[in-house]
Amino acid sequence: MKTREYVFEFIQKQKTVFVGSVDEEGFPNIKAMFAPRKIEGDCFYFTTNTSSMRSQQFMKDPKASVYFYSRGRFKYEGIMLTGTMEVLQDDDIKQEIWRAGDTMYYKQGVTDPDYCILKFTAIKGRHYCNLKTESFHIADLE
C-alpha cells in the first residue's frame, strides 16, 4: 500500500483535478478544476463560484470524488479519492484561500457573494499505476 506521504506528495504536484458531483437525477457529473489551494489533514480546499452548478449540486448532495493524474510518455498514474464536499461561505477561510489574481473571477474581491470555498474531505481512494490498481482508506495510510 502507498504511504500517506506518497499520496499527498503526488497530489500536490498536479495542476489540475477532476471533481465529481451527483446531479438531481443521481447521475455523476465531472468537471476539471484548478488544483486545491490548501491541503490540511484529509481536507482539500478549492475556490469556485457560489452560483456554479457544482456548488449547487454539493449543497443538495455532498457525495464527491476527486481525481488527480500524471501522464508521462511511458507512465500513467492516477489517484481517485471519494468523500464529501462542503460549500463554505465563512469569511476567515475565504480570506485565507484568496489570491490577488482572483479578482479576475470574483470582481468584488474576497467579499464577493459569488466567491466560495469547496472543502473536500477524503474518506477512501484508489491508486492506479503500471497496470495495477489498489484501494485504500485514508485513515489506514501510514
Side-chain angles (χ1 to χ4, degrees), residues 2-136:
K2 294 292 177 200
T3 64
R4 180 180 189 82
E5 181 180 6
Y6 181 90
V7 168
F8 283 82
E9 280 184 13
F10 176 84
I11 287 169
Q12 288 173 332
K13 291 177 187 171
Q14 310 318 313
K15 294 179 175 32
T16 305
V17 59
F18 291 92
V19 176
S21 58
V22 180
D23 71 15
E24 50 283 337
E25 295 175 12
F27 289 98
N29 288 207
I30 305 295
K31 177 183 180 174
M33 293 181 68
F34 292 120
R37 291 273 176 97
K38 174 182 174 182
I39 300 173
E40 182 177 70
D42 300 338
C43 299
F44 300 76
Y45 296 81
F46 305 90
T47 62
T48 196
N49 296 85
T50 310
S51 62
S52 72
M53 180 179 75
R54 201 78 45 219
S55 293
Q56 300 305 308
Q57 288 174 342
F58 289 130
M59 286 181 204
K60 292 176 183 153
D61 187 341
K63 288 189 222 82
S65 64
V66 294
Y67 187 75
F68 300 89
Y69 75 99
S70 174
R71 181 178 170 191
R73 192 166 181 185
F74 300 106
K75 180 181 177 184
Y76 180 93
E77 184 172 9
I79 293 178
M80 179 193 68
L81 301 173
T82 55
T84 58
M85 190 78 78
E86 298 171 71
V87 179
L88 305 178
Q89 294 283 352
D90 178 74
D91 288 340
D92 290 340
I93 191 67
K94 286 170 67 171
Q95 188 73 43
E96 180 183 348
I97 303 297
W98 182 262
R99 291 185 186 158
D102 287 346
T103 51
M104 185 166 90
Y105 305 104
Y106 314 105
K107 302 294 183 213
Q108 297 176 41
V110 72
T111 60
D112 192 319
D114 200 33
Y115 166 60
C116 70
I117 306 299
L118 296 180
K119 177 185 177 186
F120 175 75
T121 303
I123 298 169
K124 61 184 180 174
R126 285 180 62 81
H127 174 256
Y128 171 84
C129 189
N130 296 327
L131 303 176
K132 293 184 179 99
T133 305
E134 180 179 26
S135 295
F136 58 88

